[in-house]
């Protein structure tokens, strides 16, 4: 009930609470990726991403099981963007573990996929392949055949040595 009331605070433009959750979570992920690869509006994207972290932190205080993995993934992306490999990797692994514990297979796969991208950034192809396999297993269990095909293609490229 408390989460529902909090969601009403973030209710904008007729979007239901679930939309607010996904906007905060996915919007933060997109903002971090945009900041990393598109420097022209990097400061604005970082602001959006940090706002997403703040929002998810509030929600995690009230429903840890539902928001911990999302918070950890956003924090992993924060540390990735800021060049702290050790903290980024720890947060990626925390996100994967929390999603697995709470049976969010799709978000476990997403965290593993993002961890693979992190490792590829540092040219650690073996580690990236391991995380991609984990993501693939999650997506197979979730029934997301399109994502499984994308992971297979990415794994083939890594094994062939292409970037």
């Amino acid at each position: 009930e408390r989460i529902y009331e909090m969601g009403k605070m973030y209710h904008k433009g007729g979007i239901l609470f679930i939309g607010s959750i996904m906007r905060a979570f996915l919007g933060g992920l997109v903002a971090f990726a945009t900041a990393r690869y598109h420097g022209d509006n990097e400061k604005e994207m970082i602001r959006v991403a940090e706002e997403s972290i703040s929002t998810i932190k509030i929600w995690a205080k009230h429903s840890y099981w539902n928001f911990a993995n999302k918070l950890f993934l956003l924090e992993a992306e924060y540390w990735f963007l800021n060049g702290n490999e050790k903290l980024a990797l720890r947060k990626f692994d925390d996100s994967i573990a929390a999603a697995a514990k709470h049976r969010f297979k799709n978000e476990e796969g997403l965290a593993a996929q993002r961890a693979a991208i992190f490792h590829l950034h540092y040219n650690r192809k073996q580690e990236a392949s391991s995380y991609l396999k984990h993501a693939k297993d999650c997506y197979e269990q979730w029934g997301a055949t399109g994502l499984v095909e994308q992971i297979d293609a990415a794994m083939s490229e890594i094994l062939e040595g292409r970037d």
Side-chain angles (χ1 to χ4, degrees), residues 135-154:
K136 178 183 173 182
D137 292 344
C138 291
Y139 292 148
E140 283 176 335
Q141 291 174 41
W142 191 45
T145 56
L147 289 171
V148 170
E149 290 170 5
Q150 288 178 4
I151 297 290
D152 281 338

Side-chain angles (χ1 to χ4, degrees), residues 33-53:
T34 303
R36 186 174 301 105
Y37 300 112
H38 301 94
D40 54 331
N41 60 347
E42 180 179 353
K43 287 182 182 177
E44 174 62 14
M45 290 298 98
I46 290 171
R47 186 196 63 74
V48 168
E50 288 175 342
E51 188 175 291
S52 293
I53 289 175

Side-chain angles (χ1 to χ4, degrees), residues 44 55 63 103 125 158:
E44 174 62 14
T55 299
S63 183
R103 300 183 185 150
K125 294 180 180 185
I158 290 169

Side-chain angles (χ1 to χ4, degrees), residues 18 31-33 40 45 51 56 63 66 68 80 88-89 102 120 127 129 140 145 151 154-155 160 163:
I18 191 74
F32 276 123
D40 54 331
M45 290 298 98
E51 188 175 291
I56 299 290
S63 183
N66 197 26
F80 179 17
L89 183 56
H102 299 115
L120 284 174
E127 291 90 341
S129 292
E140 283 176 335
T145 56
I151 297 290
M155 290 174 71
E160 292 173 11
D163 293 324

Side-chain angles (χ1 to χ4, degrees), residues 62-120:
H62 299 286
S63 183
Y64 186 80
W65 74 270
N66 197 26
F67 294 102
N69 69 297
K70 295 169 183 65
L71 176 60
F72 294 148
L73 185 52
L74 288 170
E75 290 174 337
E77 294 289 347
Y78 173 86
W79 292 116
F80 179 17
L81 180 66
N82 286 288
N84 190 323
E85 291 181 55
K86 185 177 179 179
L87 275 175
L89 183 56
R90 188 178 94 211
K91 292 295 184 172
F92 281 120
D93 288 340
D94 288 348
S95 180
I96 292 166
K101 179 180 179 182
H102 299 115
R103 300 183 185 150
F104 295 124
K105 276 296 167 192
N106 57 326
E107 293 175 12
E108 181 183 352
L110 176 61
Q113 190 174 1
R114 297 301 306 161
I117 291 167
F118 164 79
H119 282 293
L120 284 174

